[in-house]
Amino acid sequence: MTCDRRPLFEFVEGEVHLFNDNFEQKVKYPFDWFRSALATVQPRPENTKLMQFKKWIENLHCLELNPHAMSGVTDREEPDPAFDMSNFASWYRHMTQERADSAAQLQDRLRQIIPGLGSLDLRSAGANQRSLEARFIILPESSPPNYFAISFGELSDGHRVLICLYALLNLVVREGACLFLDEPENYIAIPEIQPWLMELRDRIEDLGGQVILISHHPEIINYLAPEVGLVFERVGPGPVRVRNYEPDPSLPPAEQIACGWSVDG
Amino acid sequence: MAERIANIILLVEDRNQETLLRRYMQRLGHDNRNMRSQMSPRGQGSGEQFVREQYASQVRALRRTSTKACLIAMVDADTGSIDDRRQQFEQVLREAKENPRSPSGPILNLIPKRNVET
């Protein structure tokens, strides 16, 4: 690993070479070929550049939401969302402690998005266990309002994914964060896609961060491809090639891709 | 799960216009969830033709739906006059055999001169 083409970290023939912030080699030691040595390097005053990279990596998330794997019960806090967000309840539990303001903003937003939703609560369910529940208001005009609660695991697939998508916006997307999200449109209703994309754009413009969406859905392709689209292509069993999307002024991008046409020149 | 209803349709040439309009509508208290954006496939540059082509069908759809909605169509005047653009919008509706736009109706034509960047 290099910075300005000068070394910070090397792994050569089974040996780790560590360099300080002035790119001077300071330590050399053997290490297991099958493990990431970088993950084991501890912060020290002289390796701030290397630690900066590690910190950035910690803010890089690759996710593919799978509502069937999401449980409504948590027995611990987890600082990072799992690849399929199966640990949403545990991650949300962590975020309500570490980023209480953002979690409160998420609840406010979800109330606007899911009609009748009162709150998303973590209720005690035994020793260390908590159950994530969505509380819905039956009679908002009554005082106190009447609620009924549904376990997160019992919500529809679409609602679970929608909650996760807005949680990612509120709790992950910010300066320094990088999110890869595979097919975010899965399970959610078509009218929900563009508003989420709009909010994503606004958030990145306002707060920074980077999001890479992988999608085959016309809503996403038409909204984003003309401006920031990349096309991934594989011919036969060969390597995947990446190129900038070239808009065709006469066709919506999704239609162009559906036809398999590319623009010459 | 379709609980979101778009009642502000934005028909725009490009991302700059879309962002300007959305942010302005947000300032007026509207939410992204109430808006639906229709943008030229080019994404950038002149999408004036796209807006004109879509205008009549969007007006027709708006007049047929029972949902209370409005259409905001935006086209830069560029080097022409605002009146030229206004007449182009009117011409599109005439050719589509649609009634003309009423000043107090739910259809708004925005024509920045010379363009949104200036």
Side-chain angles (χ1 to χ4, degrees):
Chain A
M1 199 190 124
T2 61
C3 175
D4 294 334
R5 299 187 176 181
R6 289 182 290 179
L8 284 176
F9 175 94
E10 286 178 352
F11 186 71
V12 184
E13 295 182 355
E15 268 195 341
V16 173
H17 300 183
L18 287 182
F19 298 78
N20 65 12
D21 287 342
N22 297 320
F23 312 104
E24 299 157 344
Q25 187 173 321
K26 288 292 178 188
V27 186
K28 197 159 74 170
Y29 57 92
F31 201 81
D32 187 344
W33 284 86
F34 299 99
R35 290 175 60 205
S36 166
L38 186 58
T40 65
V41 178
Q42 296 302 306
R44 293 182 59 83
E46 67 271 16
N47 67 3
T48 58
K49 287 191 171 85
L50 196 59
M51 287 305 115
Q52 214 173 337
F53 175 74
K54 278 187 71 174
K55 193 172 166 57
W56 178 79
I57 287 282
E58 284 170 9
N59 282 322
L60 193 153
H61 301 279
C62 298
L63 305 178
E64 183 187 81
L65 310 188
N66 177 7
H68 305 296
M70 294 174 191
S71 164
V73 179
T74 163
D75 58 6
R76 61 184 175 277
E77 291 179 24
E78 291 189 32
D80 296 304
F83 174 69
D84 55 2
M85 281 198 107
S86 52
N87 69 341
F88 177 76
S90 300
W91 177 62
Y92 180 74
R93 184 173 175 174
H94 176 81
M95 285 299 179
T96 55
Q97 301 298 314
E98 293 295 315
R99 307 259 308 278
D101 285 356
S102 299
Q105 285 169 10
L106 169 64
Q107 291 234 12
D108 288 342
R109 194 67 183 121
L110 291 175
R111 276 185 211 105
Q112 296 164 344
I113 291 164
I114 301 175
L117 182 72
S119 57
L120 200 58
D121 300 333
L122 286 156
R123 303 258 160 208
S124 179
N128 292 328
Q129 285 219 333
R130 291 195 170 266
S131 170
L132 182 60
E133 293 178 354
R135 298 183 88 202
F136 287 88
I137 303 168
I138 302 171
L139 296 168
E141 68 276 12
S142 69
S143 180
N146 286 325
Y147 291 97
F148 69 95
I150 299 178
S151 162
F152 182 76
E154 290 173 345
L155 291 172
S156 71
D157 293 345
H159 273 145
R160 268 179 282 169
V161 169
L162 203 57
I163 289 170
C164 287
L165 288 174
Y166 279 92
L168 290 171
L169 284 189
N170 280 270
L171 303 173
V172 170
V173 178
R174 64 182 192 280
E175 190 177 6
C178 182
L179 170 64
F180 287 80
L181 195 51
D182 192 22
E183 302 189 14
E185 72 279 2
N186 281 347
Y187 301 100
I188 63 171
I190 289 177
E192 296 292 350
I193 298 174
Q194 201 186 66
W196 184 79
L197 295 174
M198 288 172 170
E199 201 147 321
L200 175 65
R201 281 192 59 85
D202 290 349
R203 198 157 176 96
I204 291 171
E205 277 175 18
D206 294 342
L207 300 178
Q210 185 177 38
V211 176
I212 293 101
L213 303 178
I214 297 97
S215 178
H216 305 279
H217 200 285
E219 278 283 286
I220 291 183
I221 292 170
N222 286 340
Y223 191 71
L224 294 178
E227 193 186 16
V228 290
L230 291 172
V231 179
F232 286 64
E233 291 173 315
R234 190 206 306 269
V235 180
V240 173
R241 297 186 191 283
V242 184
R243 62 174 168 84
N244 287 322
Y245 168 73
E246 292 287 340
D248 179 330
S250 55
L251 282 179
E255 189 59 25
Q256 184 193 350
I257 289 170
C259 293
W261 293 350
S262 58
V263 175
D264 295 329
Chain B
M1 203 188 65
E3 291 151 340
R4 168 246 179 185
I5 295 173
N7 45 23
I8 302 171
I9 309 300
L10 309 176
L11 182 58
V12 293
E13 291 185 70
D14 56 27
R15 180 69 68 193
N16 284 340
Q17 291 187 353
E18 195 243 12
T19 303
L20 178 75
L21 268 185
R22 273 199 311 105
R23 295 288 192 163
Y24 182 65
M25 299 310 281
Q26 286 169 5
R27 282 200 177 192
L28 294 179
H30 298 287
D31 192 283
N32 281 333
R33 296 179 61 74
N34 304 126
M35 297 182 234
R36 170 79 184 161
S37 163
Q38 292 282 342
M39 193 168 35
S40 161
R42 292 179 70 90
Q44 294 174 350
S46 171
E48 173 266 332
Q49 188 185 346
F50 168 84
V51 173
R52 269 193 291 119
E53 286 171 357
Q54 295 295 313
Y55 184 65
S57 55
Q58 290 290 341
V59 167
R60 189 176 301 123
L62 185 78
R63 287 172 172 168
R64 287 184 181 173
T65 181
S66 57
T67 303
K68 193 177 177 189
C70 69
L71 170 68
I72 303 176
M74 183 182 256
V75 168
D76 288 337
D78 292 330
T79 52
S81 73
I82 291 173
D83 210 44
D84 287 345
R85 286 287 191 235
R86 194 178 292 137
Q87 285 177 24
Q88 282 176 350
F89 275 125
E90 289 169 4
Q91 177 68 17
V92 167
L93 291 186
R94 267 197 303 276
E95 286 171 5
K97 298 185 173 42
E98 283 291 326
N99 289 331
R101 187 181 73 91
S102 138
S104 59
I107 300 163
L108 182 65
N109 300 338
L110 294 179
I111 307 167
K113 168 78 178 171
R114 137 170 218 197
N115 54 37
V116 291
E117 289 87 350
T118 56

